[in-house]
Amino acid sequence: MEVILDKVNNLYSQPEIILHSGFATEGFSLPDRDRLQLLEVTPDNVAAICEEYGNIVINLLPSATNNYLLLDSNSKFKTRFIIEFSGSNNLAIVGKDLSCSGNVSFKNDDGVFILGGETKQQCKLSIKLLGKGSIFFFGRHSSANGLTCIMNGENTKVIIGDDCMFARDVWLRNSDMHSIFDLESGDWLNPASDIIINPHVWVGQDSLVLKNAEIGFGSIIGAKSLVNKKIPKCSLAAGVPAKKIKDNVSWDRKIQPRQNKIDYVRDFSKKLA
């Protein structure tokens, strides 16, 4: 338990270092620690955890040890969500008021999966942490009609800020899954890397976001785009690869933009200037 407690303490005391620099300001919200209960996942208590928290299914491989859940007292999934532990020293942190279905698989050791909670609408997630020390963060009020994330490579991160929106069949891949090397030098040319999606980003249907991508606050990614680099804040980008086609724009979940949302994006954008 000491390893996991250290991990939790570091996450909550230094999120801007462990996770992303944005945690030092706003737009990246961890679940309220005071409401969270730490539970070790063992063969003896899996059934009790699933019954208490509702719609959680836990698959625990015999070789998996020292894995923990840090759950809000209201972390009751409204639809079925599967958590699979294959490795050891992994941690899943889940906030309150979730409308989330899907699965997360810890295929290695020392992984961290965080759901900020308070989802505005149904979320469909499929997350696989294949690399040792992988960190996946899905911010508060964010939603997804069908988001798949495959993480590989040691100590890499996929960070998604608060109030993001993903359409159907969006994929995040922080690794090419197979190595490419230079024949002369033998150098490894395509190591895994992080993906950062800042707060209030809308990613359109059938888009693919790859390693080294960073999407700025308030931006929109058009359907069927491939993102593999930095996209500026409050911009519309689309294409393969995605390129900025309009700046100084943002979006609202409603069919007609609300004035309070316009004011929020304007104010937040000025803070980032």
Side-chain angles (χ1 to χ4, degrees):
M1 178 179 284
E2 186 176 343
V3 172
I4 295 297
L5 284 174
D6 286 345
K7 187 174 293 187
V8 172
N9 289 335
N10 288 334
L11 279 170
Y12 275 87
S13 64
Q14 304 178 86
E16 72 281 4
I17 297 173
I18 305 298
L19 297 172
H20 178 59
S21 59
F23 284 84
T25 54
E26 57 182 295
F28 297 87
S29 303
L30 286 165
D32 186 352
R33 186 175 179 181
D34 292 338
R35 297 173 54 94
L36 301 178
Q37 179 181 8
L38 186 64
L39 303 169
E40 184 175 8
V41 181
T42 68
D44 294 334
N45 69 2
V46 162
I49 293 173
C50 294
E51 181 178 356
E52 180 177 355
Y53 286 91
N55 288 310
I56 294 180
V57 177
I58 299 175
N59 295 330
L60 185 67
L61 271 65
S63 59
T65 60
N66 201 42
N67 294 296
Y68 283 81
L69 302 175
L70 192 58
L71 301 179
D72 188 281
S73 57
N74 286 327
S75 294
K76 295 186 183 297
F77 287 84
K78 297 177 183 178
T79 51
R80 191 175 191 226
F81 195 85
I82 302 169
I83 303 176
E84 177 185 285
F85 293 101
S86 301
S88 299
N89 299 320
N90 294 295
L91 173 66
I93 304 176
V94 179
K96 66 178 182 178
D97 299 334
L98 293 165
S99 295
C100 196
S101 63
N103 60 84
V104 56
S105 298
F106 293 94
K107 297 293 188 181
N108 212 311
D109 303 331
D110 303 318
V112 177
F113 169 82
I114 305 171
L115 281 181
E118 298 180 58
T119 50
K120 289 180 177 291
Q121 61 190 59
Q122 178 64 35
C123 276
K124 298 177 182 178
L125 302 175
S126 180
I127 314 299
K128 290 181 172 58
L129 282 64
L130 305 179
K132 185 176 181 180
S134 296
I135 297 176
F136 177 88
F137 174 86
F138 191 77
R140 189 176 297 173
H141 302 310
S142 290
S143 63
N145 283 334
L147 174 64
T148 300
C149 178
I150 310 294
M151 297 186 64
N152 211 343
E154 290 194 7
N155 302 314
T156 58
K157 296 177 286 187
V158 171
I159 306 294
I160 298 168
D162 297 345
D163 193 32
C164 288
M165 184 170 69
F166 298 86
R168 291 181 182 274
D169 298 322
V170 173
W171 282 71
L172 310 181
R173 287 182 173 272
N174 79 323
S175 166
D176 296 332
M177 303 301 290
H178 308 283
S179 60
I180 299 173
F181 56 88
D182 184 278
L183 284 176
E184 290 188 7
S185 66
D187 290 344
W188 183 17
L189 302 179
N190 66 332
S193 189
D194 299 342
I195 294 173
I196 306 295
I197 299 177
N198 283 278
H200 194 61
V201 166
W202 174 13
V203 181
Q205 184 171 333
D206 294 317
S207 291
L208 175 61
V209 183
L210 300 178
K211 66 182 191 298
N212 296 314
E214 180 174 356
I215 306 175
F217 164 80
S219 289
I220 305 153
I221 304 299
K224 297 183 182 295
S225 295
L226 185 152
V227 185
N228 60 358
K229 60 182 180 181
K230 187 170 184 177
I231 303 296
K233 69 181 177 73
C234 295
S235 61
L236 171 60
V240 181
K243 297 180 181 179
K244 184 181 73 171
I245 57 179
K246 191 172 181 61
D247 56 17
N248 202 31
V249 295
S250 196
W251 61 279
D252 188 357
R253 291 177 185 269
K254 299 296 185 181
I255 192 69
Q256 182 173 339
R258 297 163 290 181
Q259 189 60 48
N260 65 333
K261 181 59 69 173
I262 295 170
D263 293 341
Y264 158 74
V265 174
R266 282 174 176 164
D267 292 343
F268 199 112
S269 180
K270 289 177 183 176
K271 294 176 184 178
L272 300 174

